[in-house]
Amino acid sequence: MRAAQTFAVGDPVIYRKAKASPHPGPRATDIRPSEQGEDYLYEVDKFWTVCALPADGRIQCVTRKGKIHSIRSDDVNLRKANWFERWWYRDRFPVLGAPPS
């Protein structure tokens, strides 16, 4: 387990989510066949914004559609977006207080 990152409300974060389906989407990365060969296993980057920092060591992130995810701050799939990602993917990160798109 890695050391916990420090987050602040409003920080844009990227969460790499593992998925499985017979038809990976265009944003899928690390695509590989499942053991049975009927589906593909892959990863998709999710662009979220930190909306709350509860005292239990987790962080709460909001998606573009307004869904809230509670994640451990030391999750290996969670990271802060760097300056280039914040600029390049600026339309994918939700803005706090804005209505869900």
Side-chain angles (χ1 to χ4, degrees), residues 2-53:
R2 68 180 188 187
Q5 299 180 63
T6 54
F7 294 96
V9 172
D11 283 348
V13 295
I14 298 175
Y15 186 79
R16 179 149 292 180
K17 190 168 190 165
K19 294 191 159 217
S21 84
H23 305 287
R27 294 183 186 158
T29 60
D30 192 23
I31 303 169
R32 57 204 179 280
S34 65
E35 289 182 21
Q36 273 55 32
E38 295 178 5
D39 286 336
Y40 291 97
L41 305 173
Y42 57 96
E43 296 174 344
V44 177
D45 286 340
K46 300 294 185 173
F47 301 91
W48 299 340
T49 301
V50 176
C51 64
L53 299 167

Side-chain angles (χ1 to χ4, degrees), residues 3-101:
Q5 299 180 63
T6 54
F7 294 96
V9 172
D11 283 348
V13 295
I14 298 175
Y15 186 79
R16 179 149 292 180
K17 190 168 190 165
K19 294 191 159 217
S21 84
H23 305 287
R27 294 183 186 158
T29 60
D30 192 23
I31 303 169
R32 57 204 179 280
S34 65
E35 289 182 21
Q36 273 55 32
E38 295 178 5
D39 286 336
Y40 291 97
L41 305 173
Y42 57 96
E43 296 174 344
V44 177
D45 286 340
K46 300 294 185 173
F47 301 91
W48 299 340
T49 301
V50 176
C51 64
L53 299 167
D56 64 357
R58 300 175 75 83
I59 65 168
Q60 289 185 347
C61 299
V62 63
T63 67
R64 287 188 291 174
K65 295 191 177 190
K67 186 174 181 183
I68 304 291
H69 293 279
S70 182
I71 305 162
R72 291 174 48 122
S73 61
D74 62 352
D75 189 325
V76 296
N77 295 313
L78 179 70
R79 64 183 174 81
K80 284 185 179 181
N82 63 38
W83 68 268
F84 181 76
E85 292 166 328
R86 289 193 310 262
W87 174 76
W88 190 256
Y89 300 118
R90 64 189 172 272
D91 296 333
R92 294 190 191 177
F93 291 106
V95 177
L96 295 180
S101 55

